[in-house]
Amino acid sequence: MAMFRDEPANTSSFSIDAIDTPQSRRVESTVRVELRGSPRIEVTLPVQIRPRTGQPVLAMITNISRTGLRAESNQGLVDTLFGGKVRLQDHAPVTALFRFTVPAADGEDILVEVHGRTVYARLDSGRYQVGVQFLEFSTGRDALIDYLASRGIHQ
């Protein structure tokens, strides 16, 4: 016959300390990557952003991955995307078409067109930034994947 006690287990005989090792830092880093979707690389690529309504705006892609990008520009970027209202604190996602080129192995530039949804808007050191999650590629998905692989991103 099994006996169960209602008293708490005695935990005074052991302790749990944070372990600071290269392996634990790698695990923490991996968790951050997984939350974002895929690793990003720092780049400087011009991009044309075409919202559903209004005129296109030019910006600079400052980092990119298989699943999204960060674009940076002046206040015109957020004004165009968000209809003339800068919504940094209460960001309301918008969808737009992002057009840019990536260099291919043969030196040619290949067009990438992808619909994306903004996931944040912020002001950083006087520059407006928007984070974008890719939704659907019109063209250039394979070119982007090849470009990222050439820069060491294979996920």
Side-chain angles (χ1 to χ4, degrees), residues 7-101:
E7 56 193 65
N10 182 0
T11 57
S12 62
S13 61
F14 65 90
S15 65
I16 299 174
D17 295 323
I19 300 173
D20 188 22
T21 67
Q23 291 80 10
S24 68
R25 286 189 296 275
R26 186 168 42 243
V27 168
E28 289 173 4
S29 174
T30 301
V31 170
R32 282 193 294 272
V33 168
E34 290 303 319
L35 292 175
R36 176 166 263 167
S38 63
R40 293 187 177 219
I41 58 169
E42 300 297 316
V43 296
T44 305
L45 297 171
V47 60
Q48 180 190 65
I49 305 170
R50 183 178 297 272
R52 289 187 175 189
T53 61
Q55 296 297 313
V57 63
L58 296 177
M60 194 64 64
I61 298 171
T62 56
N63 73 31
I64 194 165
S65 73
R66 291 176 144 203
T67 59
L69 61 81
R70 179 179 67 213
E72 189 173 288
S73 189
N74 57 23
Q75 186 171 344
L77 172 65
V78 290
D79 286 349
T80 298
L81 284 175
F82 305 115
K85 296 178 184 174
V86 179
R87 295 182 188 152
L88 299 179
Q89 299 298 356
D90 62 338
H91 172 258
V94 297
T95 301
L97 176 66
F98 296 80
R99 300 180 79 224
F100 56 96
T101 61

Side-chain angles (χ1 to χ4, degrees), residues 41-46 61 64 100-112 140-151:
I41 58 169
E42 300 297 316
V43 296
T44 305
L45 297 171
I61 298 171
I64 194 165
F100 56 96
T101 61
V102 292
D106 63 6
E108 293 291 319
D109 286 341
I110 299 177
L111 177 65
V112 177
R141 182 181 180 278
D142 291 341
L144 176 59
I145 290 170
D146 291 346
Y147 172 70
L148 292 170
S150 75
R151 302 280 306 269

Side-chain angles (χ1 to χ4, degrees), residues 63 128 154:
N63 73 31
Y128 288 89
H154 299 284

